[in-house]
Amino acid sequence: MLREHSPEELRETAARNAGLLLGFISAYSAGSILPEDTEVWLPDEVAAGCVAGPRLRAASVERDNHCEGHGSDKYDAEGSPDGLAAFVPKMATVGFGNVKLLLSNDDEFVEGGSHMAQYSDTEARAAHEAAVERVFFNCHAQSAESVKILVRNGFRAIYGSRPDPNPRTR
């Protein structure tokens, strides 16, 4: 169970974490498992010299296609192309520069989740086509199919990936 954090506490943690990255030129935020806009203010504060840290791109909550997943109840967990197409500009309007999708899940959240693709090519394409200027896509991708989907649909970064322990399944 996640401990409750106040918005102020989350902002203080984000600022402290930015300071830990001094020495790097720029960084992508890993975002939050909480749907709040914890970091959207931080890139401007860093650029203005009010908070120590590298250039930063704030990331949205991960959009999870399984209703039991974290944060999914707030953002149309239907996983339809229309739902994804609506999610992307909504996150850009909030101020996120990176939109995060769980193209495959984690076994901790959904049994066997790391071996499945949660979104189809059609859904990933709809998200990419809905992108507004300067919004990048990041995704969690562990299954071979989810990695193929991200490559075909213009995702900028992959995280949470690890080698398949059974390469015969590729």
Side-chain angles (χ1 to χ4, degrees):
M1 177 87 174
L2 292 174
R3 182 174 79 77
E4 291 294 320
H5 298 279
S6 71
E8 295 77 23
E9 186 179 14
L10 292 171
R11 287 181 178 87
E12 288 172 13
T13 300
R16 186 174 48 254
N17 289 344
L20 295 174
L21 295 173
L22 284 174
F24 290 91
I25 296 170
S26 60
Y28 280 75
S29 162
S32 173
I33 62 170
L34 304 174
E36 286 84 18
D37 58 352
T38 303
E39 298 176 357
V40 293
W41 60 275
L42 190 53
D44 291 339
E45 292 292 306
V46 168
C50 299
V51 173
R55 290 182 308 225
L56 180 70
R57 294 189 61 89
S60 72
V61 65
E62 296 174 315
R63 190 171 189 288
D64 188 345
N65 200 22
H66 287 278
C67 292
E68 66 271 14
H70 52 272
S72 60
D73 57 337
K74 186 169 179 170
Y75 297 115
D76 177 26
E78 296 301 315
S80 68
D82 290 343
L84 281 166
F87 178 75
V88 174
K90 184 185 296 185
M91 293 298 99
T93 299
V94 172
F96 293 110
N98 292 341
V99 172
K100 294 171 53 176
L101 298 179
L102 263 68
L103 286 180
S104 64
N105 212 308
D106 268 324
D107 295 334
E108 295 86 28
F109 299 120
V110 176
E111 188 174 338
S114 65
H115 299 287
M116 67 173 89
Q118 293 198 123
Y119 297 102
S120 67
D121 262 317
T122 302
E123 292 162 339
R125 191 173 316 107
H128 191 262
E129 289 172 357
V132 295
E133 187 176 341
R134 300 186 52 89
V135 170
F136 299 156
F137 286 94
N138 301 344
C139 68
H140 183 277
Q142 292 186 31
S143 73
E145 185 57 27
S146 64
V147 172
K148 292 174 188 176
I149 289 170
L150 80 91
V151 169
R152 289 191 294 255
N153 290 287
F155 284 76
R156 183 104 174 201
I158 182 175
Y159 62 93
S161 187
R162 56 183 170 253
D164 188 340
N166 185 2
R168 295 175 196 225
T169 62
R170 289 187 209 153

